[in-house]
Amino acid sequence: MTDLLYSEEEEALRAAVRDLLTDHCEAAGVIARSESDAPHDIALWKALADGMGLAGLLVPEELDGQGATHREAAVVLEELGRAVAPVPYLTSAVVATEAVLECGADDLLSQLASAEVIGALAVALHVTAGGAYKVVRIENGRLHGELTGIADAAVADVLLVPADDGGLYAVDASAATITPQVSLDLTRPVAKVLLDGAPGRLLGDAEPAVRRALRAGAGLLASEQLGAADWALTETVRYLKERKQFNRPVGGFQALKHRLAQLWLEVVNLRAAARNAADALAGEESAEEVAVAVAVAQAFAGPVAVRAAEEALQLHGGIGMTWEHPVHLYLKRAKADSVAYGTAGAHREALAELVDLRAP
């Protein structure tokens, strides 16, 4: 039977990542950065990816990676979600890395693992595994076209671009015109990518690479959503113990106890679903079993993370209307994550097909 509990090594990894984020990712800094033209924290990314070697968790050791599994990557994403950290970990160290692993481009994998380059899969953030995605035109070895909604493209060094010949091409980001788009989640901005005769290097077939990358992205996104939801619950409980009304802690009122108890149950269930998805991605399960685990996690994760952030915002109401409190960042991240790599509804539909429970 699979053990979904955290191992000692995973807990040690969590402690190390949390310590780093506590020192280098305080809420005030994230809010200030989100208002600037450079929302990504590249110094924090370098500390995580290069200093701690976390960019290469999914890459084999012989290619300068850590040779770890999706379970360890999930622990990192829980902590990044808890800190709503503006770093391209999910997009580069998970999604782009998975696409390159499928293609077997060892030199590019080594660069991604060592954080020498940041990668971004040039597929819109809302696309689910198995869903249709936009491709660019290829003529005489040059790529032409426009792609929108590309997460973290602004800081990418290499773009992984699907073309109309069925191939996945590595394109130097400097050869593309990247324009920021209005993004709800200020800590994971999206951008428009314009290719006008950009040279590309063929890595392999796009379809299996994109499907694998998006499935891993969706499965591990649940762990990021778990981290954000857990922060929202923990901070709300702490605040309601301190906040007094009628000379007693607000948290002592029965109605609020019931709301928090219900939220705690949902967060615990989310933890189980997220851990199961990470374990399935890491294990020897069949492709269908992995797809079921990911669909279950994402069908559940989005609504719970959004509700946790909404409850935190409402139950912090006593502090007044303020931009300085980080809760709005968590609500925006939760809302954006709820449509990333497929909506909960899309994953429920996929799950119904997988387990043969189609609607009449």
Side-chain angles (χ1 to χ4, degrees):
M1 185 177 174
T2 299
D3 184 3
L4 299 183
L5 297 176
Y6 300 98
S7 67
E8 287 185 19
E9 292 80 6
E10 288 165 352
E11 290 292 8
L13 175 61
R14 177 195 305 285
V17 174
R18 187 175 296 189
D19 285 347
L20 178 67
L21 292 172
T22 300
D23 292 340
H24 299 287
C25 193
E26 74 287 351
V30 176
I31 293 170
R33 196 174 294 280
S34 71
E35 295 177 310
S36 73
D37 293 332
H40 293 94
D41 191 338
I42 298 302
L44 176 61
W45 164 254
K46 286 293 184 187
L48 284 164
D50 193 12
M52 296 182 70
L54 299 182
L57 281 181
L58 301 180
V59 179
E61 291 184 53
E62 60 267 23
L63 296 175
D64 302 324
Q66 302 298 318
T69 72
H70 298 79
R71 288 176 61 118
E72 286 80 15
V75 170
V76 174
L77 280 162
E78 280 183 41
E79 293 307 311
L80 294 177
R82 183 187 296 276
V84 71
V87 293
Y89 189 85
L90 181 65
T91 47
S92 181
V94 176
V95 175
T97 297
E98 286 278 351
V100 179
L101 277 166
E102 182 67 26
C103 295
D106 291 355
D107 57 333
L108 182 52
L109 272 177
S110 295
Q111 290 178 312
L112 288 168
S114 61
E116 187 179 329
V117 301
I118 295 172
L121 181 65
V123 172
L125 184 59
H126 71 274
V127 176
T128 187
Y133 52 87
K134 193 173 178 183
V135 298
V136 299
R137 192 174 78 257
I138 184 162
E139 288 180 6
N140 303 320
R142 300 277 175 160
L143 301 170
H144 303 262
E146 182 179 279
L147 301 164
T148 57
I150 311 304
D152 293 335
V155 288
D157 301 299
V158 61
L159 300 168
L160 307 178
V161 183
D164 59 3
D165 66 347
L168 185 68
Y169 289 81
V171 177
D172 192 318
S174 62
T177 302
I178 299 174
T179 309
Q181 293 180 280
V182 176
S183 178
L184 174 63
D185 181 3
L186 303 174
T187 61
R188 181 176 286 142
V190 295
K192 179 171 68 178
V193 173
L194 178 64
L195 301 172
D196 187 12
R201 168 193 164 198
L202 179 62
L203 298 176
D205 292 338
E207 199 274 330
V210 170
R211 185 173 64 246
R212 173 175 172 173
L214 296 183
R215 180 151 291 152
L220 294 188
L221 177 66
S223 291
E224 177 183 288
Q225 291 165 302
L226 167 63
D230 196 52
W231 177 92
L233 174 62
T234 302
E235 283 300 302
T236 303
V237 169
R238 183 186 61 77
Y239 175 75
L240 293 183
K241 286 180 178 178
E242 296 173 356
R243 169 90 179 154
K244 286 190 169 58
Q245 196 172 39
F246 306 118
N247 208 31
R248 60 180 287 194
V250 173
F253 292 106
Q254 188 100 2
L256 297 191
K257 284 182 179 180
H258 286 173
R259 286 170 68 171
L260 292 171
Q262 180 60 38
L263 188 58
W264 180 83
L265 285 173
E266 292 184 13
V267 172
V268 168
N269 290 335
L270 172 53
R271 187 181 305 278
R275 289 297 291 168
N276 186 53
D279 187 73
L281 286 163
E284 302 297 322
E285 283 84 353
S286 68
E288 186 171 322
E289 288 174 318
V290 173
V292 168
V294 170
V296 167
Q298 274 306 316
F300 192 72
V304 171
V306 169
R307 211 174 83 74
E310 288 175 343
E311 287 287 78
L313 187 66
Q314 287 190 11
L315 297 178
H316 274 80
I319 63 173
M321 185 175 176
T322 175
W323 184 257
E324 285 73 27
H325 196 281
V327 70
H328 68 92
L329 294 178
Y330 288 85
L331 180 56
K332 291 167 184 171
R333 170 66 69 91
K335 282 284 190 183
D337 280 358
S338 71
V339 297
Y341 307 119
T343 62
H347 285 286
R348 281 194 292 270
E349 286 183 18
L351 182 60
E353 290 284 336
L354 285 164
V355 298
D356 202 25
L357 280 176
R358 299 175 190 83

